[in-house]
Amino acid sequence: MKKLVGNLKMNLITPRERESYVNAMRNELRKGLHYGVEYILCPPAFHIEMFLERFDRLALIGAQDVFWERKGSYTGEISPVTLVEFGVGCVIIGHSERRKYLGETEALHRLKILMALEVGLRVIYCIGESQEEHRKEQTHEVLSRQLSEALYDVPGIRLPRLTIAYEPLWSIGTNVTPTPDEIAQAQESIRVSIANIFGKSADQRVDVLYGGSVNSQNIDLVCGVPNMDGVLVGRESLHPQEFLRIAERMGKF
Ligand code: PGA
C-alpha cells in the first residue's frame, strides 16, 4: 500500500484553525478510505494527542521529530517512549528544515533513528541534495553519505520499519519538481546505498518515498516512477480536499 504522508510543519497555530482543519480532514479521509492508500498525518507536537483521538482509525499519526534518549533532563524535547506509549506510529527524522534551521547533522540523525527504531517507532528519514549539489551532479554522492552516516549501525532486523524520503532541497516549498527520470535515478541510488550498507536485497525491505512540491497535478508523474512507495506532502496537506485529490490519484497506481 502506498503511503501518503502529510507533514503539517508549524501550522494550525490557533484553536480555530486546528478545529476547522481537523473537521475538514476527517470528512475527506472518510471519503478516501477505500482508495487503498495509507494515510499518515504529522501534526505539530502540541496537537499530537488531539489528532490521535480525532483521527482514530482514519490515519496513522506521526511526529515531526523526536529526542534520542528515553527520559531525563532534556528541556523542550519529546521522548520516543512517550510517542509510542500514546499511540504515535511513526516519526520524521532529518527533515531538511531541521538541518537548515537547527543545524542537525547525520551524526545526530543516527542517534535519533537508532532510538526511535529501538522503542518500536517507524522512522521516515529525509534526505536530499541542495540545488548546488544537484547542478554539480553530486546527488548520488550526497545521498549515499547521508544514508551511510546515519544508518551504518542500524540493526538489519529493524529495516522493515525504516522508510527513506527523497526530498531534494530545491524542490521543497518551491513548486519545482524533478523529472520522473531524476526521481527514478535518486530512488535507485538510495536502493543501491541501502544494499551496500545492509547487504544484497536489503533495499527490498525499505520503502522509498518522494517529497517536494507534490500536488494533485504532478502526483501521476511521481507515482509513475517504478517502485515508488509513496509521497511526503507539505503545503498541500494543509488543504484537505487537495490532499484527498492526491490520494485518489495514488489509489489508481
Ligand atoms: P512541500 O514540502 O510539499 O511544501 O514542498 C515537502 C516537505 O517539506 O516535506
Side-chain angles (χ1 to χ4, degrees):
M1 190 148 64
K2 290 199 187 333
K3 292 184 171 74
L4 173 54
V5 187
N7 175 9
L8 302 175
K9 307 192 179 182
M10 197 176 74
N11 293 298
L12 312 180
I13 57 172
T14 65
R16 214 172 136 156
E17 265 181 43
R18 179 175 81 168
E19 192 55 30
S20 73
Y21 177 84
V22 168
N23 288 334
M25 189 57 115
R26 273 164 44 107
N27 282 336
E28 293 300 323
L29 291 182
R30 280 203 198 99
K31 290 187 231 159
L33 279 181
H34 65 283
Y35 292 158
V37 169
E38 181 182 21
Y39 298 102
I40 304 179
L41 290 177
C42 303
F46 188 87
H47 302 331
I48 285 178
E49 212 175 344
M50 186 261 201
F51 270 57
L52 283 166
E53 274 170 32
R54 303 283 297 275
F55 289 100
D56 188 31
R57 286 195 281 272
L58 288 175
L60 188 84
I61 303 304
Q64 296 175 14
D65 184 44
V66 69
F67 197 62
W68 63 83
E69 294 288 351
R70 290 163 188 263
K71 180 179 177 158
S73 304
Y74 306 106
T75 303
E77 293 299 331
I78 298 177
S79 162
V81 178
T82 303
L83 295 181
V84 170
E85 290 287 324
F86 280 82
V88 171
C90 74
V91 58
I92 297 172
I93 292 179
H95 191 278
S96 67
E97 285 150 14
R98 296 197 64 84
R99 295 174 190 262
K100 178 172 164 192
Y101 298 114
L102 294 143
E104 288 197 1
T105 61
E106 284 75 25
L108 194 87
H109 299 147
R110 171 183 158 262
L111 296 175
K112 292 185 177 192
I113 291 168
L114 283 172
M115 179 53 86
L117 290 173
E118 190 178 310
V119 303
L121 286 165
R122 283 159 61 180
V123 168
I124 301 172
Y125 177 46
C126 298
I127 57 173
E129 83 286 4
S130 68
Q131 175 121 55
E132 177 74 358
E133 289 157 346
H134 179 68
R135 199 179 52 74
K136 291 188 184 156
E137 298 184 0
Q138 293 170 339
T139 302
H140 174 70
E141 218 176 301
V142 172
L143 299 180
S144 114
R145 185 186 54 73
Q146 290 174 331
L147 289 167
S148 61
E149 289 182 7
L151 301 180
Y152 68 89
D153 57 350
V154 165
I157 192 168
R158 306 245 156 92
L159 286 188
R161 274 194 274 113
L162 178 67
T163 294
I164 307 296
Y166 170 58
E167 299 212 301
L169 306 196
W170 47 278
S171 179
I172 296 177
T174 59
N175 292 327
V176 181
T177 41
T179 63
D181 257 9
E182 287 175 317
I183 298 177
Q185 274 171 34
Q187 306 264 55
E188 181 52 26
S189 153
I190 289 169
R191 294 200 179 275
V192 167
S193 297
I194 295 285
N196 283 341
I197 302 167
F198 297 100
K200 218 169 127 219
S201 80
D203 57 300
Q204 307 298 323
R205 286 182 281 153
V206 175
D207 279 350
V208 184
L209 313 183
Y210 168 76
S213 295
V214 171
N215 57 40
S216 62
Q217 308 298 310
N218 58 29
I219 186 67
D220 283 14
L221 285 178
V222 173
C223 281
V225 171
N227 301 322
M228 177 57 72
D229 296 311
V231 290
L232 207 158
V233 180
R235 279 158 299 161
E236 302 303 332
S237 65
L238 292 167
H239 306 290
Q241 289 185 351
E242 174 68 2
F243 195 66
L244 257 284
R245 275 195 284 273
I246 295 173
E248 187 181 0
R249 302 299 318 164
M250 287 175 75
K252 303 203 188 301
F253 282 86

